[in-house]
Amino acid sequence: MTGAGPGRLAGVIEHHSYRTFADCTTKCVRYAAAGAGQAYARGRRASALDVLVRPPVRFLRQYVLQLGFLDGAHGLVLCGFAAAQVFLKYAELWQRSRAGARA
C-alpha cells in the first residue's frame, strides 16, 4: 500500500480492556467515584430514584439497543459491569448530595 490513505488489515483486531474480573471491578469503582466527583463539582445532584432507575436503563441500552447481546455471555457480563458502575456512581453522588444538603 502506498500513500497515507486508508487500507485493509489482513487480520482481526481484538481489544481486551480487562485481563481479569478483578481488573474490571477496580476500574469500575475508580471510574464511578471519579464520575460522581466530577458531576458533584459541576453542581449535579442525585436522588434515590437515580440510584434505582439509571442502572437498569444503562443495562438495557447497552445490552439491547447497542446489541451487547450479540456478544453472548461476554456481552451480558460487560453490560452488567456497566450497570454496576452507573449504580456506584449515582450512589456516591446521592451520598454527596445528602451530605451537602445537611451542611
Side-chain angles (χ1 to χ4, degrees):
M1 180 172 132
T2 60
R8 288 203 171 266
L9 296 174
V12 175
I13 295 177
E14 290 190 26
H15 174 76
H16 302 284
S17 298
Y18 316 106
R19 288 190 314 230
T20 66
F21 283 131
D23 290 343
C24 188
T25 302
T26 300
K27 199 175 212 182
C28 180
V29 170
R30 190 173 69 240
Y31 284 3
Q38 290 173 353
Y40 190 80
R42 289 192 312 263
R44 293 274 324 260
R45 300 298 179 259
S47 68
L49 189 61
D50 289 311
V51 177
L52 293 172
V53 172
R54 288 180 181 270
V57 168
R58 167 59 64 91
F59 178 84
L60 289 172
R61 189 178 81 216
Q62 271 192 250
Y63 193 68
V64 177
L65 297 178
Q66 295 178 335
L67 308 178
F69 66 88
L70 293 177
D71 291 327
H74 187 74
L76 179 69
V77 170
L78 289 180
C79 292
F81 269 113
Q85 181 177 334
V86 169
F87 174 82
L88 293 170
K89 174 184 173 181
Y90 281 94
E92 174 72 20
L93 185 56
W94 181 46
Q95 180 181 11
R96 290 179 185 214
S97 300
R98 290 179 48 147
R102 285 191 295 255

